[in-house]
C-alpha cells in the first residue's frame, strides 16, 4: 500500500456487527494496516461517535485532530483516495453505479433480513442474546450472563420496527432473503464476485451481512445451507 495515513488505522467494532465485518474484510483485501478494539462503547480518551455506530474509525481531520467516523460507504471512498492499489470502486462509471446500487442493497436491505431473523425466532434469540452477552465485557457468572442476555434481547427485539420487521412484513422479508440466496447461487456458478472476476465495494457489503445470516444465526443459516451452498 502506501497512502496519506502512515500508521495503522484505529477502529472499534464487534464480531456480531455486519458493518464491522464489512470494513475489516475491506481493510484486509486492500492490505491497509489496522488495529481493532473489540468494544461496543468506544475507545476511552477518544471522541464519541454521534450516533454511536459500529464500526467507529478514528481518523484525522484537516487539522490532524482525531474524529470518530462511522459511515462505511463514504469511508470506502475516502480510503480509495488515501491508499493506493487494490481499489474496489470500479473505474468504469457505469460499473461504479451498479456497484454502488448493490452496495446500498446489501447495507440497507439485506440488513433487514439479518436483524429480522436474529430477533424473531426463539432459537436465534436464544443464541444471539447469550453470545452477544459474552462479548460485553466479562467474565460473567451464570446469573450475570443470563441477566445480560435478557438485557440485550430486551433492547434489540423492540428495535425490529426500526428495520421494518413486523408480523405484516415478515413474509416479504423472508421471501426476499430467499430470492437473494437463489440469485447469488446462480450467479456464483459462473462468477467469483458480484461484478465478475474481482471484488467491488458491493461484495464487502454483502459479505458483512452474510457473515451473520450464514454463520451466526441458525434459522437463515439452515435455509442457506439447504438452497445456496455456493453462497455459503
Amino acid at each position: 500500500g502506501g497512502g496519506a495515513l502512515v500508521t495503522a488505522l484505529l477502529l472499534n467494532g464487534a464480531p456480531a456487527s455486519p458493518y464491522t465485518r464489512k470494513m475489516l474484510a475491506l481493510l484486509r483485501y486492500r492490505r491497509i494496516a489496522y488495529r481493532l478494539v473489540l468494544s461496543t462503547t468506544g475507545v476511552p480518551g477518544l471522541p464519541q461517535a454521534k450516533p454511536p455506530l459500529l464500526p467507529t474509525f478514528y481518523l484525522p481531520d484537516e487539522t490532524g485532530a482525531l474524529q470518530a467516523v462511522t459511515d462505511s460507504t463514504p469511508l470506502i471512498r475516502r480510503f480509495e483516495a488515501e491508499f493506493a492499489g487494490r481499489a474496489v470502486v470500479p473505474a468504469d462509471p457505469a460499473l461504479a453505479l451498479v456497484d454502488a446500487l448493490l452496495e446500498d442493497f446489501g447495507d440497507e436491505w439485506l440488513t433487514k433480513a439479518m436483524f429480522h431473523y436474529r430477533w424473531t425466532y426463539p432459537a436465534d434469540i436464544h443464541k444471539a442474546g447469550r453470545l452477544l452477552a459474552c462479548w460485553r465485557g466479562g467474565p460473567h457468572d451464570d446469573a450475570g450472563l443470563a441477566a445480560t442476555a435478557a438485557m440485550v434481547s430486551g433492547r434489540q427485539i423492540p428495535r425490529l420496527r426500526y428495520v421494518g420487521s413486523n408480523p405484516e412484513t415478515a413474509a416479504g422479508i423472508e421471501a426476499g432473503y430467499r430470492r437473494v440466496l437463489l440469485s447469488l447461487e446462480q450467479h456464483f456458478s459462473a462468477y467469483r464476485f458480484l461484478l465478475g472476476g474481482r471484488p467491488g465495494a458491493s461484495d464487502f457489503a454483502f459479505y458483512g451481512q452474510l457473515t451473520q445470516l450464514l454463520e451466526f444465526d441458525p434459522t437463515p443459516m439452515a435455509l442457506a445451507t439447504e438452497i445456496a451452498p455456493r453462497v455459503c
Side-chain angles (χ1 to χ4, degrees), residues 164-181:
S165 170
N166 58 57
E168 293 183 3
T169 62
I173 291 173
E174 295 185 11
Y177 173 60
R178 175 183 283 269
R179 286 196 300 273
V180 168
L181 288 178

Side-chain angles (χ1 to χ4, degrees), residues 16-103:
S17 157
Y19 302 100
T20 298
R21 297 291 192 98
K22 173 187 179 180
M23 293 308 293
L24 289 180
L26 178 110
L27 295 173
R28 290 194 297 267
Y29 174 75
R30 297 211 56 214
R31 298 174 181 167
I32 299 171
Y34 67 88
R35 182 164 69 88
L36 171 66
V37 177
L38 291 175
S39 171
T40 59
T41 58
V43 177
L46 291 179
Q48 293 290 318
K50 298 179 181 181
L53 301 174
L54 297 179
T56 297
F57 282 77
Y58 303 93
L59 302 173
D61 62 15
E62 60 276 4
T63 69
L66 289 180
Q67 300 293 326
V69 186
T70 60
D71 198 341
S72 64
T73 296
L75 277 167
I76 289 175
R77 275 69 185 171
R78 174 174 176 169
F79 296 158
E80 292 281 297
E82 293 183 343
F83 295 91
R86 300 174 73 85
V88 299
V89 175
D92 180 88
L95 279 180
L97 175 60
V98 173
D99 184 51
L101 290 171
L102 288 171
E103 182 187 8

